[in-house]
Each structure stands twice: as C-alpha cells, then as structure tokens.
Amino acid sequence: MYRVFGMSSSGNCHKVRLVLENLRLAYEWVEIDTLKDETRTATFLEMNPNGRVPTLQVEPHVYLAESDAILYYLAEGSRLWPAGRLPRAQILQWMFFEQYSHEPYIAVARYVRAFLPPDSPRRADLPRLHERGYQALDVMEKHLAGRDFFVGEAYSIADIALFAYTNPAADGGFDLTRYKCINAWLARVKVQPGYVEMPAPG
Ligand SMILES: N[C@@H](CCC(=O)N[C@@H](CS)C(=O)NCC(=O)O)C(=O)O
C-alpha cells in the first residue's frame, strides 16, 4: 500500500490525493505539519532530503518527491496518462507550466494570506504574486476556450496538477469571476470520480 506524507490543506499534496482517489488506489495518509517544521526532522529528511511534502513511500525505504512526478508515477498505465507521444508531452508541458508559472505565484499568495500571520512582512510580495498569478490564469483561460480539459479532451494529470491551486485561488486574493472557461473547467473537475474537497487552511 502507498503511504503519503502530506499536509491535507496543501494543494501540492491534494493533487496526490485526487489521483489516488480517482484511481481507487489503496493508501495511508500521514499528516505532516509543515508550519511546525515536521518536514525538517532527521527522520523526514532521510525520506526526502529536500524537506518537502508531498513525499510518497512507494515501497519500504523507497520514496518519491515532487508532486507532479508522483502524479506521473501513480497515473502510469491509467486513463489519467493517455497513450501517444504528443499528448504525453502536452501533459508534461502543462505540468511544467504549473510548477514554474502558476504554483510559485498562486500557491505562494495563498500561503502568505492564509497561513502566515496578518503582519507578516511577506505580504509586501502580494502585488507581484498577483500580477504573475493573473498572467498564468489568463494563459489557462485562453487555452480552455472551446476545450473541456487541458489535453486531448480527456481528464488527465495535467488537469489535476492545475486544479489544485486554481480552485482555492481566492484564498490568495485572486478574483476568478471573470474567468468563464476556468470556472466551467473547475466544475467539470469536481464531478470526476473520486473527487474530494481540500480542507481549508488552519
Ligand atoms: N515542487 C514541490 C513543492 C513542494 C512544496 O513546496 N511543499 C510545501 C507544502 S505545499 C512544503 O513542504 N513546505 C515545507 C517546507 O518548505 O519546509 C512539489 O510540487 O511537490
């Protein structure tokens, strides 16, 4: 059975849960509180020297880090990772986009607003995070016009990777009301098999 070391209110960790639930894979969830530095203990660093969740135990003493790599590992051989060289490369394209152009702004704005104290000096970063986060949302909105899902008209790990922090973007101060196509896509993701809500921070 898989064992996930994760924080339930983290979008990166919630991605892993969405794949496991969608594919009905058996797993045990070990809750890790990153705010209490539980990712920085000697025991945790043995599993993931980068000190981050999610970390997946795939078999005794074998661990996998980085949410999108975990998504690929779990989805291999399933409908969430369809056949074909180009569709697979397109899925990876959106997952790299998520990690470089989306998550660093939309997830980090949520972290600053919803997890740090109201007087945190990191609030000064919010205008820049919002500017870059809205750029990512604009790219998604344009791509989704006339499409149901990100790649090949089927739900895939590209959708799961992008859903995780787009759905709770309001926690980071983003207003999604003008994004008609994104809102329709969020609703489509929420009716996929095994969909579960991510708990609110705190
Ligand atoms: N690129 C990584 C990012 C993982 C990450 O930043 N995880 C955060 C929680 S969302 C974490 O573990 N923070 C704890 C820390 O930095 O000590 C992924 O996609 O898994």
Side-chain angles (χ1 to χ4, degrees):
M1 188 200 288
Y2 295 118
R3 181 176 290 155
V4 183
F5 295 85
M7 185 162 83
S8 296
S9 56
S10 146
N12 283 318
C13 299
H14 194 63
K15 293 172 190 176
V16 175
R17 198 193 287 279
L18 287 174
V19 173
L20 289 162
E21 293 287 340
N22 182 278
L23 297 176
R24 296 175 177 270
L25 298 171
Y27 66 99
E28 179 192 347
W29 187 277
V30 180
E31 190 68 21
I32 299 290
D33 190 342
T34 64
L35 300 172
K36 292 186 182 150
D37 282 343
E38 290 178 2
T39 47
R40 302 305 158 123
T41 64
T43 313
F44 192 91
L45 292 170
E46 278 287 309
M47 301 187 291
N48 178 357
N50 197 30
R52 300 278 195 286
V53 286
T55 296
L56 179 74
Q57 184 177 18
V58 296
E59 55 185 77
H61 313 297
V62 179
Y63 300 94
L64 189 59
E66 294 296 330
S67 58
D68 289 354
I70 295 171
L71 261 50
Y72 160 72
Y73 179 83
L74 294 173
E76 168 72 24
S78 81
R79 63 189 176 279
L80 297 176
W81 178 245
R85 186 176 175 186
L86 186 60
R88 286 180 170 183
Q90 288 168 329
I91 289 172
L92 291 176
Q93 174 195 310
W94 284 109
M95 292 169 82
F96 289 127
F97 166 85
E98 185 264 338
Q99 285 285 290
Y100 191 76
S101 301
H102 181 285
E103 194 261 15
Y105 308 110
I106 297 178
V108 173
R110 176 173 180 261
Y111 178 71
V112 170
R113 285 191 24 137
F115 289 85
L116 296 182
D119 59 351
S120 167
R122 290 191 60 187
R123 287 204 157 231
D125 299 341
L126 285 170
R128 175 80 178 141
L129 296 172
H130 287 153
E131 181 194 332
R132 300 301 294 266
Y134 278 121
Q135 284 173 12
L137 293 168
D138 289 346
V139 170
M140 291 169 65
E141 179 73 7
K142 199 168 169 197
H143 181 75
L144 284 169
R147 286 188 175 88
D148 283 351
F149 296 106
F150 271 86
V151 177
E153 289 311 297
Y155 185 56
S156 75
I157 51 174
D159 299 288
I160 293 175
L162 281 163
F163 175 86
Y165 284 110
T166 305
N167 190 47
D171 292 348
F174 291 93
D175 178 4
L176 291 187
T177 50
R178 71 171 185 263
Y179 293 106
K180 204 168 139 250
C181 301
I182 289 179
N183 280 306
W185 165 75
L186 292 173
R188 282 191 286 277
V189 172
K190 290 179 188 179
V191 295
Q192 296 304 311
Y195 176 76
V196 278
E197 287 284 335
M198 179 168 70

